[in-house]
Protein backbone atom coordinates (compact mmCIF):
# COMPACT_ATOMS: atom_id res chain seq x y z
CA UNK A 1 0.00 0.00 0.00
CA UNK A 2 0.97 3.63 -0.47
CA UNK A 3 0.88 4.98 3.07
CA UNK A 4 1.25 8.57 4.24
CA UNK A 5 2.44 8.86 7.85
CA UNK A 6 1.69 11.77 10.18
CA UNK A 7 3.84 11.97 13.31
CA UNK A 8 6.64 9.79 11.95
CA UNK A 9 9.16 11.66 14.12
CA UNK A 10 7.29 10.76 17.31
CA UNK A 11 7.89 7.96 19.79
CA UNK A 12 5.07 5.80 18.41
CA UNK A 13 5.59 7.13 14.89
CA UNK A 14 9.13 5.81 14.65
CA UNK A 15 7.87 2.32 15.44
CA UNK A 16 5.14 2.81 12.83
CA UNK A 17 7.83 3.52 10.21
CA UNK A 18 9.69 0.35 11.18
CA UNK A 19 6.54 -1.77 10.99
CA UNK A 20 5.41 -0.27 7.67
CA UNK A 21 8.84 -0.86 6.15
CA UNK A 22 8.88 -4.43 7.46
CA UNK A 23 5.48 -5.05 5.83
CA UNK A 24 6.78 -3.67 2.53
CA UNK A 25 4.56 -0.58 2.31
CA UNK A 26 5.49 2.47 0.23
CA UNK A 27 5.92 5.23 2.85
CA UNK A 28 5.68 9.02 2.56
CA UNK A 29 6.08 11.15 5.68
CA UNK A 30 4.01 14.30 6.04
CA UNK A 31 4.79 16.80 8.80
CA UNK A 32 6.64 19.88 9.82
CA UNK A 33 9.97 18.02 9.61
CA UNK A 34 11.31 14.57 8.68
CA UNK A 35 13.38 12.44 11.08
CA UNK A 36 17.08 13.17 10.63
CA UNK A 37 17.78 9.55 9.81
CA UNK A 38 14.96 9.33 7.23
CA UNK A 39 16.15 8.84 3.66
CA UNK A 40 12.73 8.07 2.16
CA UNK A 41 9.97 10.28 0.76
CA UNK A 42 8.92 13.21 2.92
CA UNK A 43 6.64 16.19 2.39
CA UNK A 44 6.91 19.21 4.65
CA UNK A 45 3.64 20.89 5.55
CA UNK A 46 1.21 21.88 8.26
CA UNK A 47 -1.51 19.48 9.38
CA UNK A 48 -4.25 22.11 9.20
CA UNK A 49 -3.31 23.11 5.64
CA UNK A 50 -6.08 21.20 3.93
CA UNK A 51 -4.88 21.89 0.41
CA UNK A 52 -1.37 20.70 1.23
CA UNK A 53 -2.66 17.59 2.99
CA UNK A 54 -5.04 16.78 0.11
CA UNK A 55 -2.15 17.19 -2.30
CA UNK A 56 0.08 14.89 -0.21
CA UNK A 57 -2.67 12.25 -0.14
CA UNK A 58 -3.12 12.06 -3.92
CA UNK A 59 -2.51 8.43 -4.92
CA UNK A 60 -2.31 7.22 -1.32
CA UNK A 61 -4.16 4.12 -0.11
CA UNK A 62 -3.91 4.94 3.58
CA UNK A 63 -2.81 7.39 6.25
CA UNK A 64 -1.36 6.29 9.57
CA UNK A 65 -1.53 9.10 12.12
CA UNK A 66 0.76 8.74 15.15
CA UNK A 67 0.81 12.42 16.09
CA UNK A 68 1.37 13.36 19.70
CA UNK A 69 -1.37 15.12 21.61
CA UNK A 70 -0.58 18.54 23.01
CA UNK A 71 -2.10 19.54 26.37
CA UNK A 72 -3.59 22.51 24.58
CA UNK A 73 -5.03 20.37 21.79
CA UNK A 74 -4.94 21.46 18.14
CA UNK A 75 -2.75 18.71 16.70
CA UNK A 76 -4.68 15.52 15.97
CA UNK A 77 -8.08 17.09 15.32
CA UNK A 78 -6.89 19.40 12.50
CA UNK A 79 -5.01 16.47 10.98
CA UNK A 80 -8.08 14.25 10.96
CA UNK A 81 -10.21 17.11 9.64
CA UNK A 82 -7.76 17.67 6.79
CA UNK A 83 -7.95 13.99 5.86
CA UNK A 84 -11.75 14.00 6.01
CA UNK A 85 -11.87 17.17 3.90
CA UNK A 86 -9.66 15.58 1.23
CA UNK A 87 -12.55 13.18 0.47
CA UNK A 88 -10.39 10.49 -1.13
CA UNK A 89 -12.59 7.47 -1.95
CA UNK A 90 -11.48 4.25 -0.25
CA UNK A 91 -8.72 5.93 1.77
CA UNK A 92 -7.94 4.02 4.96
CA UNK A 93 -7.18 6.16 8.03
CA UNK A 94 -5.60 4.69 11.15
CA UNK A 95 -5.14 6.92 14.16
CA UNK A 96 -4.33 6.53 17.84
CA UNK A 97 -6.17 8.39 20.60
CA UNK A 98 -6.55 7.12 24.17
CA UNK A 99 -8.65 4.91 26.39
CA UNK A 100 -10.24 7.97 28.02
CA UNK A 101 -12.10 8.79 24.80
CA UNK A 102 -15.71 7.61 25.00
CA UNK A 103 -17.43 5.84 22.13
CA UNK A 104 -21.04 4.60 21.94
CA UNK A 105 -21.19 0.98 23.11
CA UNK A 106 -18.44 1.36 25.71
CA UNK A 107 -19.00 -0.45 29.00
CA UNK A 108 -15.92 0.77 30.85
CA UNK A 109 -15.11 -0.63 34.27
CA UNK A 110 -15.52 1.80 37.19
CA UNK A 111 -11.74 2.25 37.50
CA UNK A 112 -11.47 3.26 33.84
CA UNK A 113 -14.36 5.69 34.19
CA UNK A 114 -12.57 7.27 37.17
CA UNK A 115 -9.29 7.50 35.24
CA UNK A 116 -11.19 9.05 32.32
CA UNK A 117 -12.79 11.58 34.66
CA UNK A 118 -9.39 12.59 36.06
CA UNK A 119 -8.06 13.01 32.51
CA UNK A 120 -11.04 15.14 31.60
CA UNK A 121 -10.11 17.51 34.44
CA UNK A 122 -6.33 17.50 34.06
CA UNK A 123 -6.16 17.46 30.25
CA UNK A 124 -9.45 19.08 29.38
CA UNK A 125 -8.48 20.58 26.02
CA UNK A 126 -6.55 17.57 24.83
CA UNK A 127 -9.30 15.12 25.69
CA UNK A 128 -11.98 17.38 24.22
CA UNK A 129 -9.95 17.44 21.02
CA UNK A 130 -9.69 13.67 20.85
CA UNK A 131 -13.41 13.29 21.62
CA UNK A 132 -14.26 15.76 18.85
CA UNK A 133 -11.93 13.88 16.55
CA UNK A 134 -13.85 10.65 17.12
CA UNK A 135 -17.14 12.45 16.52
CA UNK A 136 -15.89 14.00 13.29
CA UNK A 137 -14.57 10.67 12.05
CA UNK A 138 -17.81 8.89 12.91
CA UNK A 139 -19.82 11.59 11.11
CA UNK A 140 -17.62 11.36 8.01
CA UNK A 141 -17.59 8.62 5.40
CA UNK A 142 -13.88 7.92 5.95
CA UNK A 143 -12.74 4.32 6.48
CA UNK A 144 -11.12 5.11 9.83
CA UNK A 145 -9.87 3.05 12.75
CA UNK A 146 -9.11 4.89 15.99
CA UNK A 147 -7.13 2.76 18.42
CA UNK A 148 -7.58 3.63 22.10
CA UNK A 149 -4.57 2.57 24.21
CA UNK A 150 -4.00 3.07 27.94
CA UNK A 151 -0.71 4.62 29.17
CA UNK A 152 2.11 4.18 26.63
CA UNK A 153 5.53 2.85 27.59
CA UNK A 154 8.80 2.64 25.70
CA UNK A 155 10.68 -0.56 24.93
CA UNK A 156 10.49 -3.27 22.31
CA UNK A 157 7.35 -4.75 20.81
CA UNK A 158 6.05 -7.82 22.59
CA UNK A 159 3.48 -8.78 19.94
CA UNK A 160 1.30 -9.64 22.93
CA UNK A 161 -1.50 -7.14 22.45
CA UNK A 162 -5.22 -7.47 22.22
CA UNK A 163 -8.13 -5.39 20.95
CA UNK A 164 -11.32 -5.14 22.95
CA UNK A 165 -14.63 -3.40 22.32
CA UNK A 166 -16.22 -2.62 25.66
CA UNK A 167 -13.47 -1.79 28.15
CA UNK A 168 -9.64 -1.56 28.30
CA UNK A 169 -7.98 -4.78 29.49
CA UNK A 170 -4.68 -3.37 30.77
CA UNK A 171 -3.32 -0.12 32.16
CA UNK A 172 -0.17 0.04 29.99
CA UNK A 173 1.05 -0.94 26.54
CA UNK A 174 4.33 -0.45 24.66
CA UNK A 175 4.31 2.16 21.89
CA UNK A 176 5.95 -0.47 19.68
CA UNK A 177 2.95 -2.76 20.15
CA UNK A 178 0.53 0.04 19.33
CA UNK A 179 2.51 0.70 16.15
CA UNK A 180 2.30 -2.99 15.26
CA UNK A 181 -1.47 -2.91 15.73
CA UNK A 182 -1.84 0.26 13.66
CA UNK A 183 -0.01 -1.29 10.73
CA UNK A 184 -1.89 -4.59 11.12
CA UNK A 185 -5.17 -2.60 11.06
CA UNK A 186 -4.40 -1.49 7.49
CA UNK A 187 -5.27 -5.00 6.32
CA UNK A 188 -8.29 -5.52 8.58
CA UNK A 189 -11.64 -4.68 7.02
CA UNK A 190 -13.41 -5.66 10.25
CA UNK A 191 -11.82 -2.65 11.97
CA UNK A 192 -13.13 -0.10 9.48
CA UNK A 193 -15.14 2.65 11.24
CA UNK A 194 -14.37 1.32 14.70
CA UNK A 195 -12.47 2.58 17.75
CA UNK A 196 -11.26 -0.48 19.66
CA UNK A 197 -9.29 -0.36 22.87
CA UNK A 198 -5.82 -1.81 22.55
CA UNK A 199 -3.97 -3.19 25.55
CA UNK A 200 -1.26 -5.58 26.60
CA UNK A 201 -2.89 -9.02 26.51
CA UNK A 202 -3.54 -10.67 29.81
CA UNK A 203 -6.65 -12.64 29.02
CA UNK A 204 -8.15 -14.35 26.00
CA UNK A 205 -8.58 -11.92 23.06
CA UNK A 206 -12.14 -10.67 22.64
CA UNK A 207 -11.74 -9.98 18.91
N1 LIG B 1 1.47 9.13 26.54
C1 LIG B 1 0.59 8.22 26.83
O1 LIG B 1 0.68 7.52 27.86
C2 LIG B 1 -0.60 8.02 25.90
C3 LIG B 1 -1.63 7.22 26.33
C4 LIG B 1 -2.68 6.96 25.45
C5 LIG B 1 -2.68 7.52 24.18
N2 LIG B 1 -1.66 8.33 23.79
C6 LIG B 1 -1.69 8.89 22.43
O2 LIG B 1 -0.75 8.23 21.62
C7 LIG B 1 -0.34 9.11 20.56
C8 LIG B 1 1.14 8.96 20.32
O3 LIG B 1 1.83 9.33 21.50
P1 LIG B 1 3.41 9.49 21.51
O4 LIG B 1 3.78 9.70 22.95
O5 LIG B 1 4.06 8.41 20.72
O6 LIG B 1 3.56 10.84 20.71
P2 LIG B 1 4.82 11.82 20.64
O7 LIG B 1 6.09 11.10 20.75
O8 LIG B 1 4.57 12.95 21.60
O9 LIG B 1 4.59 12.34 19.14
C9 LIG B 1 5.13 13.47 18.70
C10 LIG B 1 4.80 13.58 17.21
O10 LIG B 1 3.72 14.47 17.02
C11 LIG B 1 4.18 15.53 16.19
N3 LIG B 1 3.58 16.79 16.62
C12 LIG B 1 3.31 17.19 17.88
N4 LIG B 1 2.78 18.42 17.86
C13 LIG B 1 2.71 18.80 16.56
C14 LIG B 1 2.24 19.96 15.89
N5 LIG B 1 1.73 20.99 16.55
N6 LIG B 1 2.31 19.98 14.52
C15 LIG B 1 2.83 18.94 13.85
N7 LIG B 1 3.30 17.80 14.43
C16 LIG B 1 3.22 17.75 15.76
C17 LIG B 1 5.67 15.58 16.38
O11 LIG B 1 6.26 16.21 15.26
P3 LIG B 1 7.64 17.04 15.40
O12 LIG B 1 8.73 16.04 15.30
O13 LIG B 1 7.56 17.97 14.24
O14 LIG B 1 7.60 17.72 16.75
C18 LIG B 1 5.99 14.09 16.45
O15 LIG B 1 6.00 13.51 15.16
C19 LIG B 1 -0.79 10.49 20.98
O16 LIG B 1 -1.86 10.92 20.15
C20 LIG B 1 -1.29 10.34 22.39
O17 LIG B 1 -2.43 11.14 22.66
C21 LIG B 1 -0.62 8.58 24.62
Amino acid sequence: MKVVVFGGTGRTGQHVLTELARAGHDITLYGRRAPQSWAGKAITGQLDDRRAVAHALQGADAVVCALGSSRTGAVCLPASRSVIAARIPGLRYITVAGAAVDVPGDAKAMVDRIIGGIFRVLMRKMLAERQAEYQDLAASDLDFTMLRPPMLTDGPATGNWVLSWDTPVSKRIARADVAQAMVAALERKDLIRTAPFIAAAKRKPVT
Side-chain angles (χ1 to χ4, degrees), residues 6-13 30-34 45-47 65-70 73-76 95-100 119 126 130 133 147-154 175 178:
F6 295 165
T9 52
R11 290 166 290 177
T12 303
Y30 181 92
R32 52 189 179 182
R33 65 187 180 98
Q46 298 300 319
L47 298 158
C65 175
L67 288 165
S69 295
S70 137
V75 182
C76 300
T95 187
V96 54
F119 260 79
M126 187 266 275
R130 304 318 301 263
E133 187 184 0
L147 294 182
R148 291 185 288 161
M151 181 183 289
L152 301 181
T153 60
D154 293 322
R175 287 180 167 86
V178 173

Side-chain angles (χ1 to χ4, degrees), residues 2-3 5-6 14 18 22 26 31 43 48 58 60 71 73 92 104 121 144 152-153 164 167 175 180 189-190 203 207:
K2 290 189 173 175
V3 183
V5 177
F6 295 165
Q14 295 197 22
T18 304
R22 183 177 294 145
D26 176 338
I43 299 172
D48 60 358
Q58 289 306 314
R71 265 177 182 273
R92 199 72 177 87
V121 173
F144 75 92
L152 301 181
T153 60
S164 64
T167 195
R175 287 180 167 86
Q180 216 175 65
K189 290 202 171 6
D190 61 315
R203 64 172 160 91
T207 53

Side-chain angles (χ1 to χ4, degrees), residues 84 87 132-142 144 193:
I84 292 168
R87 300 190 69 84
E133 187 184 0
Y134 172 76
Q135 270 139 12
D136 281 15
L137 288 169
S140 76
D141 52 9
L142 190 62
F144 75 92
R193 300 189 58 77

